[in-house]
Short mmCIF file of all heavy atoms in Angstrom, two decimals:
data_model
loop_
_atom_site.label_atom_id
_atom_site.label_comp_id
_atom_site.label_asym_id
_atom_site.label_seq_id
_atom_site.Cartn_x
_atom_site.Cartn_y
_atom_site.Cartn_z
N TYR A 1215 -59.62 15.71 -6.79
CA TYR A 1215 -60.61 14.68 -7.11
C TYR A 1215 -60.50 13.50 -6.16
O TYR A 1215 -61.50 12.91 -5.75
CB TYR A 1215 -60.42 14.20 -8.56
CG TYR A 1215 -61.14 15.06 -9.58
CD1 TYR A 1215 -60.44 15.75 -10.55
CD2 TYR A 1215 -62.53 15.18 -9.53
CE1 TYR A 1215 -61.10 16.55 -11.48
CE2 TYR A 1215 -63.20 15.97 -10.45
CZ TYR A 1215 -62.48 16.65 -11.42
OH TYR A 1215 -63.14 17.43 -12.32
N ALA A 1297 -59.04 31.26 25.19
CA ALA A 1297 -59.09 32.50 24.41
C ALA A 1297 -57.73 32.80 23.79
O ALA A 1297 -57.64 33.26 22.65
CB ALA A 1297 -59.54 33.66 25.30
N SER A 1427 -42.27 47.07 -15.65
CA SER A 1427 -43.73 47.22 -15.60
C SER A 1427 -44.20 47.43 -14.16
O SER A 1427 -43.63 46.88 -13.22
CB SER A 1427 -44.41 45.98 -16.17
OG SER A 1427 -44.02 45.77 -17.51
N THR A 1438 -59.50 45.84 -3.25
CA THR A 1438 -60.85 46.43 -3.26
C THR A 1438 -61.92 45.38 -3.54
O THR A 1438 -62.94 45.32 -2.84
CB THR A 1438 -60.92 47.53 -4.34
OG1 THR A 1438 -59.95 48.53 -4.04
CG2 THR A 1438 -62.30 48.17 -4.36
N VAL A 1521 -94.41 29.26 18.73
CA VAL A 1521 -93.65 28.13 19.27
C VAL A 1521 -93.88 26.87 18.45
O VAL A 1521 -92.96 26.17 18.07
CB VAL A 1521 -94.01 27.87 20.74
CG1 VAL A 1521 -93.31 26.62 21.26
CG2 VAL A 1521 -93.65 29.07 21.60
N LYS A 1530 -107.52 27.31 26.49
CA LYS A 1530 -106.82 27.10 27.76
C LYS A 1530 -107.76 27.40 28.92
O LYS A 1530 -108.54 28.36 28.87
CB LYS A 1530 -105.60 28.03 27.86
CG LYS A 1530 -104.55 27.85 26.77
CD LYS A 1530 -103.71 26.61 26.99
CE LYS A 1530 -102.61 26.50 25.94
NZ LYS A 1530 -101.75 25.31 26.16
N GLY A 1545 -109.99 35.87 26.24
CA GLY A 1545 -110.26 36.15 27.65
C GLY A 1545 -109.03 36.55 28.45
O GLY A 1545 -107.90 36.52 27.97
N GLN A 1571 -77.28 25.42 14.54
CA GLN A 1571 -76.70 26.25 13.48
C GLN A 1571 -75.18 26.22 13.52
O GLN A 1571 -74.52 26.37 12.49
CB GLN A 1571 -77.19 27.69 13.61
CG GLN A 1571 -78.64 27.87 13.20
CD GLN A 1571 -79.07 29.33 13.20
OE1 GLN A 1571 -78.52 30.16 13.94
NE2 GLN A 1571 -80.03 29.66 12.38
N MET A 1638 -77.53 26.91 8.62
CA MET A 1638 -78.05 28.00 9.45
C MET A 1638 -79.44 28.43 9.01
O MET A 1638 -80.35 28.61 9.83
CB MET A 1638 -77.09 29.19 9.42
CG MET A 1638 -75.79 28.98 10.18
SD MET A 1638 -74.69 30.40 10.06
CE MET A 1638 -75.61 31.61 11.04
N THR A 1665 -86.99 4.63 5.23
CA THR A 1665 -88.00 3.91 6.01
C THR A 1665 -88.36 4.71 7.24
O THR A 1665 -87.48 5.22 7.94
CB THR A 1665 -87.48 2.53 6.45
OG1 THR A 1665 -87.06 1.79 5.31
CG2 THR A 1665 -88.54 1.76 7.20
N ASP A 1802 -108.75 4.94 20.44
CA ASP A 1802 -107.97 6.17 20.28
C ASP A 1802 -108.10 6.58 18.82
O ASP A 1802 -107.66 5.85 17.92
CB ASP A 1802 -106.50 5.91 20.65
CG ASP A 1802 -105.67 7.18 20.68
OD1 ASP A 1802 -106.25 8.27 20.51
OD2 ASP A 1802 -104.45 7.08 20.85
N ARG A 1805 -105.07 10.25 14.21
CA ARG A 1805 -104.73 11.68 14.14
C ARG A 1805 -105.07 12.22 12.75
O ARG A 1805 -104.79 11.57 11.73
CB ARG A 1805 -103.25 11.86 14.43
CG ARG A 1805 -102.85 13.29 14.74
CD ARG A 1805 -101.36 13.37 15.01
NE ARG A 1805 -100.99 12.83 16.30
CZ ARG A 1805 -100.96 13.52 17.44
NH1 ARG A 1805 -101.31 14.80 17.42
NH2 ARG A 1805 -100.59 12.96 18.56
N SER A 1919 -85.25 18.83 4.89
CA SER A 1919 -83.95 18.15 4.79
C SER A 1919 -83.53 17.98 3.34
O SER A 1919 -82.39 18.27 2.97
CB SER A 1919 -84.01 16.79 5.48
OG SER A 1919 -82.83 16.07 5.28
N ARG A 1924 -80.06 19.51 -1.15
CA ARG A 1924 -79.93 19.86 -2.56
C ARG A 1924 -79.17 21.18 -2.71
O ARG A 1924 -78.29 21.32 -3.56
CB ARG A 1924 -81.32 19.97 -3.22
CG ARG A 1924 -81.23 20.22 -4.71
CD ARG A 1924 -82.53 19.92 -5.43
NE ARG A 1924 -83.61 20.76 -4.99
CZ ARG A 1924 -84.69 20.31 -4.37
NH1 ARG A 1924 -84.80 19.02 -4.09
NH2 ARG A 1924 -85.66 21.13 -3.99
N VAL A 1971 -72.59 31.59 -3.26
CA VAL A 1971 -72.89 30.44 -2.39
C VAL A 1971 -73.83 30.86 -1.26
O VAL A 1971 -74.81 30.17 -0.97
CB VAL A 1971 -71.58 29.84 -1.82
CG1 VAL A 1971 -71.88 28.95 -0.63
CG2 VAL A 1971 -70.87 29.04 -2.90
#
Side-chain angles (χ1 to χ4, degrees):
Y1215 275 117
S1427 301
T1438 301
V1521 175
K1530 300 284 184 179
Q1571 287 186 332
M1638 288 178 69
T1665 304
D1802 187 6
R1805 195 180 286 272
S1919 174
R1924 185 163 63 244
V1971 163

